[in-house]
């Protein structure tokens, strides 16, 4: 490797979205590989790809090539696919790999992610924990291929789990021509992210698509070739069962090495574990500020740790994030963040709320306000308002007096904090890319979504900004973006 002698050795276990982003950030901060040399090992044989867009792959919106993530073109980064880590020796600072080799490290980064949790339902999983006949998860490319091999147009499919992934999978399968049923054990779908009123309208939207949602129901057993039996005795026909009922962090490497774990690998604000030379990121990490399960916090963690370990910013800290949930389902625009479940009235110490409900139009909006600050929101069918509102939530800026103007898109952008200057709204929240950066990339010659992505990373996260980026490009192609 063409690196300066004495560069510190960093081993990254996991070539998923967060591990790949750490390597990319390290290469950006140390392009010549003078400070660190990074070795990334991933168990999958595929190059790194965007797992968030797997439901789009099921729908046929993307190909596997289109969701591939960039590999750092740097002498300081080596990526090995199809190689799994078997054990850590924290005293010797080595990682044993399943090809019989070992990697020495000065710093170790665990980005091992999470795996699907299969509920203890007869037929859903085998004795060894593998999925049962006709059952699959939706965590990786192999799952997608297995699912698409099971599903035929017009055939029935059952999705177990009515969270974001389950609903995205259901929409993707429906667009493939499958007859889809969704089973959710909570009183309503997306129980953690949205309130019941929003869920009722969202359920109607799915019902209009032909997707049947069965909330407050528990699966009793999976009958291969027949379907899923519920706790009320009904059997939902299904040639395949897609399980999206939660995940478990891959913590075994850390736990077996004596590193402290709970449901994730415990990390502090420096992203260090109980062993100061071992760090954890993404879905396998457990930080006091949360963040597991969404790509944006994982990428923020990767950026912080890269700055620390390359020496670019040794004092960098990750103190938590304010994640935004977006449902990526064709024809449905849903964004939710912050505090959305409100019971107390303002006079009883509860927050102020503004709610707009339009069941006939399939739209719903809720703003939750404390001390004139936005602390939570649900936006179904209000895509134009989502960027400004999420920015107000992040900044803590006071809301305008006309709260309804925020939903109508007529309120001014949030102030930047100085002399009347205004902050351009974020377009790609996952990568913190604003309209100004996109505009500059266009001026520099980026004329397609792919070239915009290469220049700014916009659209490479959850995919929720694709429509907005396409609209900006279309507008800029017909007029000057300046002014």
């Amino acid at each position: 490797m063409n690196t300066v002698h004495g560069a510190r050795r960093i081993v990254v276990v996991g070539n998923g979205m967060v591990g790949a982003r750490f390597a990319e950030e390290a290469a950006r901060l140390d392009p010549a590989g003078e400070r660190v040399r990074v070795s990334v090992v991933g168990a999958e044989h595929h190059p790194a790809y965007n797992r968030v867009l797997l439901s789009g792959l099921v729908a046929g919106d993307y190909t596997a090539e289109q969701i591939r993530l960039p590999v750092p073109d740097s002498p300081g980064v080596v990526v090995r696919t199809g190689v799994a880590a078997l054990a850590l020796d924290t005293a010797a600072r080595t990682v044993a790999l399943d090809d019989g080799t070992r990697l020495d490290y000065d710093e170790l980064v665990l980005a091992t992610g999470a795996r699907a949790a299969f509920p203890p339902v007869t037929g859903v999983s085998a004795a060894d924990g593998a999925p049962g006949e006709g059952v699959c998860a939706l965590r990786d490319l192999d799952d997608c291929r297995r699912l698409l091999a099971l599903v035929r147009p017009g055939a029935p499919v059952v999705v177990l789990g009515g969270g974001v992934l389950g609903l995205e999978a259901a929409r993707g399968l429906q667009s493939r021509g499958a007859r889809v049923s969704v089973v959710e054990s909570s009183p309503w779908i997306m129980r953690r992210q949205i309130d019941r009123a929003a869920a009722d309208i969202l359920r109607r939207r799915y019902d209009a698509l032909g997707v049947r949602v069965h909330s407050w129901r528990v699966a009793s057993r999976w009958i291969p070739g027949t379907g899923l039996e519920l706790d009320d005795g009904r059997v939902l026909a299904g040639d395949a069962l897609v399980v999206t009922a939660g995940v478990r962090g891959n913590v075994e490497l850390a736990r077996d090495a004596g590193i402290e774990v709970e449901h994730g690998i415990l990390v502090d604000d420096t992203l260090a574990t109980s062993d100061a030379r071992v760090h954890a990121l993404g879905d396998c990490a457990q930080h006091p500020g949360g963040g597991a399960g969404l790509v944006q916090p994982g990428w923020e963690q990767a950026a912080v740790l890269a700055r620390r370990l390359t020496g670019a910013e040794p004092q960098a800290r990750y103190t938590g994030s304010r994640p935004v949930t977006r449902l990526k389902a064709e024809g449905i625009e849903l964004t939710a963040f912050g505090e959305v479940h409100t019971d107390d009235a303002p006079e009883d110490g509860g927050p102020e709320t503004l709610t707009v409900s339009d069941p006939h139009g399939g739209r719903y909006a809720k703003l939750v306000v404390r001390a004139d600050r936005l602390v939570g929101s649900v936006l179904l069918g209000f895509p134009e308002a989502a960027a400004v509102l999420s920015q107000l939530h992040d900044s803590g800026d006071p809301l305008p007096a006309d709260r309804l103007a925020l939903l109508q898109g007529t309120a001014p952008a949030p102030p930047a904090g100085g002399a009347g200057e205004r902050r351009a709204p974020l377009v790609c929240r996952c990568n913190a890319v604003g309209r100004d950066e996109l505009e500059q990339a266009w001026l520099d010659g980026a004329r397609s979504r792919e070239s915009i992505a290469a220049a700014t990373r916009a659209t490479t996260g959850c995919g929720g900004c694709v429509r907005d980026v396409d609209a900006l490009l279309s507008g800029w192609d017909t007029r000057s973006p300046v002014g």
Side-chain angles (χ1 to χ4, degrees):
M1 184 187 301
N2 184 25
T3 58
V4 174
H5 178 72
R8 298 171 69 242
R9 300 161 299 179
I10 300 176
V11 172
V12 181
V13 179
N15 190 35
M17 295 181 71
V18 176
R21 175 57 66 92
F22 172 85
E24 187 182 356
E25 286 289 322
R28 182 181 65 83
L29 295 168
D30 182 27
E34 296 175 345
R35 302 177 191 172
V36 297
R37 60 178 191 265
V38 180
S39 298
V40 183
V41 293
E44 289 187 80
H45 291 275
H46 317 287
Y49 56 89
N50 189 333
R51 297 177 193 272
V52 178
L53 299 181
L54 287 176
S55 58
L57 197 67
V58 170
D61 298 332
Y62 303 99
T63 65
E65 181 64 30
Q66 287 173 325
I67 67 171
R68 183 173 295 178
L69 296 175
V71 178
D73 182 15
S74 166
V77 178
V78 173
V79 180
R80 299 170 62 184
T81 58
V83 181
L86 296 180
L88 312 179
D89 185 334
T90 56
R93 294 187 199 158
T94 63
V95 182
L97 306 177
D98 64 356
D99 64 358
T101 63
R102 291 180 179 272
L103 288 175
D104 298 322
Y105 67 84
D106 295 303
E107 307 281 349
L108 178 67
V109 179
L110 297 175
T112 50
R115 61 186 181 277
F118 290 94
V121 175
T122 302
V124 170
S125 60
D128 60 358
E133 181 184 345
V135 178
C136 62
L138 193 56
R139 292 291 300 175
D140 57 36
L141 276 174
D142 289 341
D143 287 335
C144 280
R145 291 165 179 161
R146 190 177 305 115
L147 176 58
L148 292 175
L150 289 169
V151 175
R152 297 290 182 268
V157 180
V158 181
V159 177
L160 183 57
V164 175
L165 180 58
L167 294 176
E168 290 177 353
R171 180 66 174 107
L173 289 164
Q174 183 272 337
S175 68
R176 287 268 185 179
R179 295 152 41 211
V180 185
S181 300
V182 176
V183 177
E184 169 56 45
S185 60
S186 296
W188 63 87
I189 52 178
M190 289 185 65
R191 172 67 178 82
R192 289 188 298 173
Q193 293 88 8
I194 65 177
D195 60 5
R196 186 161 203 156
D200 286 343
I201 295 177
L202 181 61
R203 178 188 54 77
R204 293 186 190 188
R205 296 283 299 271
Y206 270 80
D207 188 67
L209 294 169
V211 176
R212 299 293 176 259
V213 176
H214 304 269
S215 299
W216 212 223
R217 292 269 67 91
V218 176
S220 292
R221 61 172 175 150
W222 167 248
I223 309 168
T226 299
L228 185 69
E229 182 179 342
L230 304 182
D231 54 349
D232 62 1
R234 284 181 296 167
V235 176
L236 304 179
D239 289 354
L241 177 67
V242 186
V243 178
T244 62
V247 298
R248 292 192 179 95
N250 293 319
V251 303
E252 290 78 12
L253 273 176
R255 183 190 60 208
D256 293 347
I259 294 170
E260 292 182 13
V261 303
E262 289 179 359
H263 60 263
I265 304 168
L266 297 174
V267 296
D268 58 19
D269 287 357
T270 70
L271 298 166
T273 69
S274 56
D275 183 315
R277 297 273 189 167
V278 180
H279 315 268
L281 304 172
D283 284 352
C284 70
Q286 181 180 337
H287 183 271
L294 295 171
V295 64
Q296 177 197 342
W299 278 355
E300 290 176 5
Q301 292 171 359
V304 167
L305 189 60
R307 295 199 301 272
R308 288 183 58 80
L309 297 189
T310 60
E313 190 181 335
Q315 74 277 15
R317 296 290 189 274
Y318 174 79
T319 56
S321 58
R322 294 188 171 189
V324 172
T325 298
R326 290 186 176 89
L327 181 67
K328 297 170 294 301
E330 184 182 354
I332 299 175
E333 300 277 357
L334 173 62
T335 300
F337 53 84
E339 179 184 343
V340 300
H341 301 292
T342 56
D343 296 321
D344 294 333
E347 57 269 22
D348 297 324
E352 171 193 348
T353 61
L354 168 66
T355 303
V356 176
S357 181
D358 177 19
H360 177 74
R363 302 198 304 167
Y364 178 87
K366 181 177 186 179
L367 307 185
V368 183
V369 181
R370 289 184 186 275
D372 221 27
R373 266 67 175 173
L374 184 67
V375 297
S377 184
V378 179
L379 300 162
L380 175 58
F382 290 86
E384 294 80 9
V388 170
L389 287 168
S390 59
Q391 190 170 332
L392 281 167
H393 180 238
D394 281 349
S395 68
D397 291 327
L399 298 183
D402 187 355
R403 308 288 166 78
L404 192 58
L406 292 167
L407 300 178
Q408 296 170 327
T410 58
E421 183 184 357
R422 295 283 168 179
R423 181 191 300 117
L426 290 177
V427 178
C428 175
R429 184 182 174 85
C430 294
N431 292 289
V433 181
R435 180 189 170 108
D436 289 350
E437 294 166 90
L438 296 172
E439 192 172 64
Q440 187 59 53
W442 190 89
L443 288 169
D444 291 341
R447 293 293 188 269
S448 66
R449 188 200 306 166
E450 291 74 19
S451 58
I452 285 286
T456 68
R457 291 176 173 164
T459 75
T460 64
C462 73
C465 64
V466 167
R467 184 183 67 93
D468 294 334
V469 170
D470 285 346
L472 288 171
L473 286 173
S474 178
W476 291 338
D477 282 342
T478 58
R479 62 179 176 83
S480 169
V482 179

